[in-house]
Amino acid sequence: MPQKPDILDARIVAKSRLFTVEQMQLRFSNGTERTYERLVSSGRGYGAVMVVAMRDERTAVLIEEYCGGTQDYQLSLPKGLVEPGEDVLDGANRELMEETGFGARQLELLGKLSLSPAYMSQSISVVLARDLYEKRLPGDEPEPIRVDSVDLYDLSSLLGRGFTEGRALAALYLVRDLLEQRGELVR
Amino acid sequence: MPQKPDILDARIVAKSRLFTVEQMQLRFSNGTERTYERLVSSGRGYGAVMVVAMRDERTAVLIEEYCGGTQDYQLSLPKGLVEPGEDVLDGANRELMEETGFGARQLELLGKLSLSPAYMSQSISVVLARDLYEKRLPGDEPEPIRVDSVDLYDLSSLLGRGFTEGRALAALYLVRDLLEQRGELVR
């Protein structure tokens, strides 16, 4: 691994309710100096979690809700912020109950995915949820969320269904690979 | 598709060199009002592109560079912003030449992936590049980029190699699926 650049200076240059921008003055090991900006999480620091919940061996639960960023309804995975006092699996199960009306008896942390490592500090834990049961918790959504699903062998069709979130698509593919490697999923 | 909320008000609430935050006042079709924030691109508006460049039938080119967001060196795909006067395939080939030292005779647009549609407007085009040849263009990188590679049937190992960018992982899986469906890739 190369030697990391020295951070000569770092300061907050813009801030809103949800977003904080940090400007950094860097000196690379070859002497080159550059000014970088990155987005740092304004969240409460307990982390974010995304859930691949399996309704049966091959079918994962999706949700459709209004996305303020793209100003459109989009399909994606249940996700949210971990609350104080929760571990990441508790948070995954709560978000699942709030957004889909399912709880899971079996929860497994698969790893973390980053958003845009060049410009953003954010990462999200990916949790595989299985052995589901019906259980709804009230969430803070402005309107009911529509629940949908996808077959793990039909993931490439998702772009045509208005599912465009890169990290959520990666999570579904990772689950498919993992379950295949374990012999728990047959094409 | 449900009826989109009305945007009652939208204004810029924070801005830096690279990032712009917009606050929106929304009224959902059930009457619920909410304040949302989203990140809108401060880019030049020609779009962003990410390249899956195949060195042979199964091997994709990766790069490793310093990522300001996570303050660490990370493996990912070549990517960048499309320049004025370029189409997305031209931009993909230029970024490939700048970051990896390869050009491609065959370039194909596969689709677009979004970053975090709930909070960000950004999306990135995914381009498949094949029939590579050696060609380096000077880039604006602060230090040389290390070039690496991955077998398309070993993608789930990437998390353990410091490759965490969700949308780039999704792009690699999409290419694998597409090439398999076309019969151009054999496991």
Side-chain angles (χ1 to χ4, degrees):
Chain A
M1 197 67 83
Q3 191 192 329
K4 290 187 193 179
D6 290 326
I7 300 172
L8 304 178
D9 184 52
R11 63 184 70 186
I12 305 302
V13 292
K15 188 166 172 46
S16 71
R17 186 170 56 94
L18 296 185
F19 299 101
T20 302
V21 181
E22 185 180 62
Q23 181 183 284
M24 303 179 293
Q25 187 67 22
L26 301 178
R27 185 193 293 137
F28 286 82
S29 60
N30 61 7
T32 305
E33 291 194 16
R34 287 288 172 88
T35 304
Y36 275 37
E37 279 188 5
R38 66 171 188 157
L39 206 69
V40 292
S41 177
S42 300
R44 290 153 296 180
Y46 301 97
V49 64
M50 187 159 63
V51 191
V52 179
M54 303 304 299
R55 289 174 90 142
D56 58 42
E57 273 94 47
R58 306 174 45 134
T59 312
V61 179
L62 305 180
I63 60 166
E64 185 184 71
E65 64 182 338
Y66 181 75
C67 290
T70 52
Q71 297 185 334
D72 207 352
Y73 285 87
Q74 289 218 294
L75 278 174
S76 193
L77 292 176
K79 69 176 85 64
L81 294 177
V82 178
E83 303 275 358
E86 286 180 337
D87 69 19
V88 66
L89 299 182
D90 294 335
N93 211 11
R94 177 185 47 73
E95 289 290 343
L96 187 63
M97 293 175 191
E98 289 178 3
E99 299 191 346
T100 72
F102 292 108
R105 291 186 190 87
Q106 197 190 329
L107 294 150
E108 184 180 354
L109 179 62
L110 300 192
K112 282 190 168 194
L113 292 173
S114 61
L115 197 52
S116 172
Y119 298 106
M120 301 175 186
S121 71
Q122 286 86 346
S123 69
I124 195 163
S125 297
V126 178
V127 168
L128 171 61
R130 289 189 287 183
D131 198 357
L132 305 187
Y133 55 94
E134 288 190 23
K135 168 80 176 173
R136 180 168 295 281
L137 285 179
D140 61 351
E141 284 69 28
E143 61 183 2
I145 289 176
R146 190 175 72 79
V147 176
D148 204 327
S149 65
V150 67
D151 185 307
L152 288 186
Y153 287 110
D154 199 23
L155 297 179
S156 62
S157 76
L158 283 172
L159 287 190
R161 292 174 62 192
F163 182 122
T164 65
E165 188 168 0
R167 57 185 180 169
L169 188 56
L172 287 163
Y173 273 115
L174 282 172
V175 164
R176 185 174 93 182
D177 259 14
L178 177 78
L179 295 180
E180 274 186 358
Q181 285 161 15
R182 289 184 185 164
E184 294 171 24
L185 182 65
V186 180
R187 192 177 287 251
Chain B
M1 196 69 80
Q3 192 191 328
K4 290 185 196 181
D6 291 326
I7 301 172
L8 305 178
D9 184 51
R11 63 184 68 187
I12 306 301
V13 292
K15 189 166 170 44
S16 70
R17 186 168 56 94
L18 296 184
F19 300 101
T20 302
V21 181
E22 185 180 62
Q23 180 183 285
M24 304 179 294
Q25 187 66 22
L26 301 177
R27 185 192 294 135
F28 286 81
S29 61
N30 61 6
T32 306
E33 291 194 17
R34 288 288 172 89
T35 304
Y36 275 38
E37 281 188 7
R38 67 170 186 156
L39 205 70
V40 293
S41 178
S42 301
R44 291 152 297 181
Y46 301 95
V49 64
M50 188 160 62
V51 191
V52 179
M54 303 303 298
R55 289 174 89 143
D56 58 42
E57 274 92 47
R58 310 175 41 135
T59 312
V61 178
L62 305 180
I63 60 166
E64 184 184 73
E65 62 182 339
Y66 182 74
C67 290
T70 51
Q71 297 184 332
D72 208 351
Y73 286 85
Q74 288 219 294
L75 277 176
S76 191
L77 291 176
K79 69 176 85 66
L81 295 176
V82 178
E83 302 277 356
E86 284 181 337
D87 68 17
V88 66
L89 298 183
D90 294 334
N93 212 10
R94 178 186 46 73
E95 288 290 345
L96 188 62
M97 293 175 191
E98 289 177 3
E99 298 191 345
T100 72
F102 292 108
R105 292 187 189 86
Q106 198 190 330
L107 294 150
E108 184 180 353
L109 179 61
L110 299 192
K112 281 189 168 194
L113 293 173
S114 60
L115 198 53
S116 172
Y119 298 106
M120 301 177 186
S121 71
Q122 287 86 346
S123 69
I124 195 162
S125 296
V126 179
V127 168
L128 172 60
R130 288 189 288 182
D131 197 358
L132 304 188
Y133 55 96
E134 287 190 22
K135 167 82 176 170
R136 181 168 295 281
L137 285 178
D140 61 352
E141 283 70 27
E143 60 183 1
I145 290 176
R146 192 175 70 80
V147 176
D148 205 325
S149 65
V150 67
D151 185 308
L152 288 185
Y153 287 112
D154 199 21
L155 298 179
S156 62
S157 76
L158 283 173
L159 287 191
R161 293 174 60 193
F163 182 123
T164 64
E165 188 167 359
R167 58 186 180 167
L169 188 56
L172 287 163
Y173 274 114
L174 282 172
V175 164
R176 185 174 91 182
D177 258 15
L178 177 78
L179 295 180
E180 273 186 358
Q181 285 161 15
R182 289 182 182 166
E184 293 170 25
L185 182 64
V186 180
R187 191 177 286 248

